Amino acid sequence: MNKTIITMGLAATGLLAFAGSTQAATLQDVQDAGELRCGVSNGLPGFSQPDSSGNWAGIDVDTCRAVAAAVLGDADAVEFIPLTAAERFTALQSGEIDVLSRNTTWTTTRDASLGLNFTGTNYYDGQGFLIKTALGVDSAYDLDGAAVCTQAGTTTELNLADFFRANDMEYEAVVFDTSEASAQGFDNNRCDVLTSDTSQLAALKTQLTDPDSAEILPEIISKEPLGPVVRQGDDEWFNVVKWVLFGQINAEEYGITSDNVEEMESSDNPSVQRIVGTSGNMGEILGLDDDFMVDVISQVGNYGEMFERNVGPDTPLGLNRGNNALWTDGGILYAPPFR
Amino acid sequence: MSSDPTPLKPGNPKPWNDPRVRSVAFQLIAIAAVAWIGYSLFQNTISNMESRGIRTGFGFLNETAGFGIIMSLINYNETMTYGRTFLVGLTNTLLVSGLGILFATIVGFIVGIARLSTNWLVAKLALAYIEVFRNVPLLLQIFFWYFAVLGTLPGPRQALDVGGVAFLSNRGIIIPKPVFEAGAGWIGIALIVALIVSLVIVTWARRRQAATGQIFPAFPVASALILGLPALAYLVMGRPVGWDIPTMGGFNFSGGITAIPELGALLLALTIYTATFIAEIVRSGIVSVSSGQTEAALALGLPPRRVLRLVVIPQALRVIIPPLTSQYLNLTKNSSLAVAIGYPDLVNVFMGTSLNQTGQAVEIVAMTMAVYLAISLSISLLMNIYNRAVALKER
Ligand SMILES: N[C@@H](CCC(=O)N[C@@H](CS)C(=O)NCC(=O)O)C(=O)O
């Protein structure tokens, strides 16, 4: 009858129960279970979305698949658990999931007071606005008095308030619990503007009844580094999730792809050798097999492949690398060295 | 000689043998045990959470919330605290539940009586209404009213206008807002005086009717007073009330009072859905009154309307009240479906946004549950008191 109260109640009870067991060994638990439990969004094109036959796809989904490949040798050994923005942290704290990969922004409060650790950034995003063309507004600074659709429990909601306050403008926040409902509210004209992480706006626009009725405003009003999250207090697991993503970024930097990873195993570049595990003991010190990155790269690909497949120019989202290009290509993607 | 055996007094048994003392003692022990278990569970959780780096405690209630809320009965803006967001959510929940209970009761009684109408069409219409709305899931009905009905209203620039002062659009209904100037207080005083005098008149009329059988038209007189006296004060004080008429500017109207469509849709859905159950309760209550009562009342020459009001309903109420209470509780709990369409109730604002911004799930979920428990217990208590008042008094 009252789903939210019941789920949240259960989650809180879960927190009570789980707060009992102290020593965490997530890596061991995942290996024993033979499956990684990964929290994703309910459906966000390019990030995590189930297709008609229930297979999940997206960059957040691939981030989880990469961890499963590293830890279990099988990128498909993942159980995806869809979560709303408001449910996600409780689900991780209570142990319902092993890793949260749900376009989640890394902020101080989340990092320091929720008992969680952000392992890195798999997409550098920023917040923007989608507006009805008919209103004839072409700047976010002209939005005084607008009704804005957004989703509960997100940084989006807070940035929105900050932006309007900082610019001395009034607004009416229409807050829904799923992005589907807020998109419908916008489509229905309940609000003049929809705000979300910019990566979503293009996809949302294509889903409107009349995609030409709306346009994206040029302003980006926030920094949204999105990345995977794990529980605090389990450093081994924290390191694993962190270095799988770093490994994928390093792999792109050294030109290791899913197509050439076999050949790369005979490379004599020491940096490449450490990634594919033919020299050094990177896997061992992380608690994995030394060739764990071979599983990751052959089954999921390097960071660039993951990007192109899910959100790149040839996908419905059609995003350019921008900030998400490697530091060597003018972006800000810079992974610590694999050594 | 004095062999008269002293009769056994119903003596004072030792306290530990006294069944009354014993039962009280056992209950106290049980309560203490439960409280202790609850307390240690709580303490254990808190200390475990702290050791995992999860912040605990109620300090967050004094921190700045930083997010906007679309509708608030109390003064609120994003510089206020999380404690304030709790109050905003709470008052919004009370508003929608209170109005929902009021409207559902009115509609439910009308439909329940219509269901028993001797007019075939009226009875069948009532039946159709009940069957349709009782069997469609509530969430679907909320979406229906929100997206399919209110959502298709024109935008603010094409708003339907009522006499140039009130406007209906997909942003809600916006009406002029009274602006009270100096002297407006007298209108309020006039209203209070009118209410008190009306109460006296009604009581007096009822007593007199009971004693002498004479009927005094108390209702028209009271209505005239309640409307007339404040109107008089308004004129005498030189019309001290102005109106803030909404005007179109930029994206939407400014000024006036807005009832947002989220409130409208939720209220419509809760009312229409719950009224079907209330209608069935009312119908069964009325049917439970023996037909002999109606026949006797009619034989005394009472007109049918009075038969219903004076003979049938008072007896039916005894059957109606207990299940009605549980409908009120359901309505209140169902109001938390608000979150689906963004009405800022307690669950949406506090257990949704505030929880997610602070991450203090245990505290916030506990506070929210405590609120629903308190609301439910208060409704039950009030209804029990009312039930006792209407219950059969054996004389
Ligand atoms: N990055 C922001 C926003 C994340 C978020 O939840 N965004 C919404 C769109 S504004 C979303 O992804 N919804 C998908 C869903 O509901 O499953 C955060 O971490 O708070």
Side-chain angles (χ1 to χ4, degrees), chain B residues 43 47 69 84 119 136 169 196 200 205 216 232 255 280 326 349:
Chain B
Q43 279 303 316
S47 71
I69 302 178
R84 194 76 180 176
N119 180 324
V136 175
S169 73
I196 295 175
V200 171
F216 181 81
L232 195 67
E280 284 298 273
S326 70
V349 168

Side-chain angles (χ1 to χ4, degrees), chain B residues 9-254:
Chain B
K9 266 190 245 158
N12 286 329
K14 296 281 182 250
W16 53 89
N17 285 332
D18 184 335
R20 271 173 309 160
V21 175
R22 271 199 195 192
S23 71
V24 170
F26 281 131
Q27 290 188 40
L28 284 179
I29 292 173
I31 291 174
V34 169
W36 181 78
I37 292 175
Y39 176 78
S40 47
L41 201 63
F42 184 74
Q43 279 303 316
N44 186 39
T45 307
I46 295 293
S47 71
N48 277 318
M49 283 183 11
E50 261 161 14
S51 73
R52 288 171 165 221
I54 302 177
R55 203 169 67 132
T56 58
F58 289 91
F60 71 97
L61 290 174
N62 294 320
E63 282 161 22
T64 303
F67 61 91
I69 302 178
I70 188 171
M71 167 189 147
S72 174
L73 298 178
I74 56 177
N75 188 17
Y76 175 81
N77 65 49
E78 56 272 3
T79 59
M80 294 185 177
T81 63
Y82 285 113
R84 194 76 180 176
T85 66
F86 172 74
L87 293 180
V88 171
L90 176 61
T91 45
N92 285 344
T93 289
L94 291 177
L95 176 76
V96 74
S97 318
L99 289 177
I101 286 176
L102 179 71
F103 294 149
T105 309
I106 296 173
V107 176
F109 267 76
I110 294 175
V111 176
I113 293 170
R115 181 92 162 68
L116 295 169
S117 168
T118 43
N119 180 324
W120 184 87
L121 187 64
V122 170
K124 289 298 168 217
L125 277 179
L127 178 68
Y129 160 77
I130 292 173
E131 288 307 329
V132 168
F133 287 98
R134 192 172 55 168
N135 292 314
V136 175
L138 178 57
L139 187 60
L140 229 58
Q141 297 193 33
I142 295 178
F143 281 138
F144 170 75
W145 291 112
Y146 187 62
F147 287 117
V149 179
L150 300 184
T152 53
L153 287 170
R157 292 182 188 193
Q158 291 84 36
L160 308 171
D161 109 33
V162 188
V165 290
F167 302 89
L168 180 65
S169 73
N170 59 14
R171 305 296 159 85
I173 300 177
I174 177 157
I175 55 167
K177 178 175 162 182
V179 184
F180 299 106
E181 291 148 18
W186 287 104
I187 302 178
I189 295 177
L191 182 66
I192 294 173
V193 170
L195 284 173
I196 295 175
V197 174
S198 305
L199 199 70
V200 171
I201 292 180
V202 168
T203 326
W204 168 80
R206 191 171 291 161
R207 287 235 181 90
R208 195 179 73 141
Q209 188 179 355
T212 68
Q214 280 170 297
I215 297 178
F216 181 81
F219 183 72
V221 172
S223 333
L225 264 177
I226 292 173
L227 291 177
L229 222 51
L232 195 67
Y234 172 71
L235 293 176
V236 169
M237 293 310 297
R239 304 169 192 253
V241 181
W243 295 97
D244 173 11
I245 308 222
T247 49
M248 184 67 204
F251 291 99
N252 199 352
F253 290 96
S254 56

Side-chain angles (χ1 to χ4, degrees), chain A residues 1-6 8-10 12 15-22 24 85-90 93-94 109-110 112-116 131 134-135 137 142-147 152-155 157-158 161-162 164-165 169 171-177 181 184-185 188-193 231-233, chain B residues 41-42 44-46 48-49 51-56 64-71 78-79 82 143 146-148 151-153 155-157 170-172 249-252 258 260-262 330 332-337 339-343 347-348 351-353 355-362 365 368-369 372:
Chain A
M1 178 188 311
N2 197 322
K3 184 183 160 282
T4 332
I5 292 209
I6 293 174
M8 295 304 293
L10 283 181
L15 213 54
L16 285 173
F18 260 88
S21 62
T22 35
E87 289 162 352
R88 58 185 153 175
F89 299 118
T90 323
Q93 288 167 334
S94 66
T109 313
R110 290 175 177 177
S113 73
L114 299 185
L116 305 176
I131 190 164
L135 292 167
V137 170
D142 297 335
L143 289 178
D144 194 7
T154 56
T155 48
E157 206 184 350
L158 295 179
D162 285 356
F164 277 80
R165 185 140 53 100
M169 302 192 293
Y171 74 107
E172 195 184 353
V174 189
V175 185
F176 295 93
D177 66 339
Q184 200 173 352
N188 246 331
N189 257 313
R190 172 61 182 101
C191 22
D192 309 297
V193 197
R231 274 182 297 281
Q232 198 171 302
Chain B
L41 201 63
F42 184 74
N44 186 39
T45 307
I46 295 293
N48 277 318
M49 283 183 11
S51 73
R52 288 171 165 221
I54 302 177
R55 203 169 67 132
T56 58
T64 303
F67 61 91
I69 302 178
I70 188 171
M71 167 189 147
E78 56 272 3
T79 59
Y82 285 113
F143 281 138
Y146 187 62
F147 287 117
T152 53
L153 287 170
R157 292 182 188 193
N170 59 14
R171 305 296 159 85
F251 291 99
N252 199 352
T258 310
I260 55 173
E262 289 76 22
N330 282 346
T332 309
K333 285 180 275 181
N334 285 338
S335 76
S336 66
L337 289 170
V339 66
I341 55 165
Y343 174 76
V347 170
N348 189 355
M351 211 167 79
T353 304
L355 187 156
N356 207 242
Q357 305 301 0
T358 61
Q360 297 201 261
V362 171
V365 172
T368 309
M369 287 181 153
Y372 278 93

Side-chain angles (χ1 to χ4, degrees), chain A residues 40-44 83-85 88-89 102-106 110 150-156 177-180 182 195-197 200 204 224 226, chain B residues 356:
Chain A
V40 292
S41 78
N42 280 301
L44 202 55
L83 300 166
T84 67
R88 58 185 153 175
F89 299 118
R102 188 204 171 284
N103 57 319
T104 297
T105 306
W106 187 348
R110 290 175 177 177
T150 179
Q151 200 180 334
T154 56
T155 48
T156 320
D177 66 339
T178 62
S179 62
E180 200 188 339
S182 45
T195 183
S196 89
D197 294 342
Q200 295 314 311
L204 283 169
E224 309 288 330
L226 312 179
Chain B
N356 207 242

Side-chain angles (χ1 to χ4, degrees), chain B residues 211-387:
Chain B
T212 68
Q214 280 170 297
I215 297 178
F216 181 81
F219 183 72
V221 172
S223 333
L225 264 177
I226 292 173
L227 291 177
L229 222 51
L232 195 67
Y234 172 71
L235 293 176
V236 169
M237 293 310 297
R239 304 169 192 253
V241 181
W243 295 97
D244 173 11
I245 308 222
T247 49
M248 184 67 204
F251 291 99
N252 199 352
F253 290 96
S254 56
I257 300 176
T258 310
I260 55 173
E262 289 76 22
L263 173 63
L266 189 61
L267 210 50
L268 271 167
L270 286 174
T271 301
I272 290 177
Y273 178 73
T274 314
T276 61
F277 293 91
I278 295 182
E280 284 298 273
I281 293 170
V282 168
R283 182 186 66 92
S284 66
I286 293 178
V287 170
S288 77
V289 177
S290 116
S291 58
Q293 295 280 330
T294 320
E295 282 157 16
L298 286 172
L300 284 175
L302 283 178
R305 228 168 247 278
R306 289 244 167 118
V307 174
L308 196 62
R309 195 162 64 83
L310 298 176
V311 178
V312 178
I313 301 246
Q315 299 188 66
L317 275 182
R318 292 173 197 146
V319 180
I320 292 175
I321 301 294
L324 192 61
T325 310
S326 70
Q327 288 309 321
Y328 288 175
L329 298 182
N330 282 346
L331 187 145
T332 309
K333 285 180 275 181
N334 285 338
S335 76
S336 66
L337 289 170
V339 66
I341 55 165
Y343 174 76
D345 78 327
L346 187 66
V347 170
N348 189 355
V349 168
F350 195 60
M351 211 167 79
T353 304
S354 294
L355 187 156
N356 207 242
Q357 305 301 0
T358 61
Q360 297 201 261
V362 171
E363 293 83 353
I364 288 183
V365 172
M367 280 174 77
T368 309
M369 287 181 153
V371 163
Y372 278 93
L373 187 67
I375 297 178
S376 297
L377 290 179
S378 320
I379 293 178
S380 300
L381 185 73
L382 288 176
M383 294 300 277
N384 279 343
I385 292 173
Y386 184 59
N387 194 24

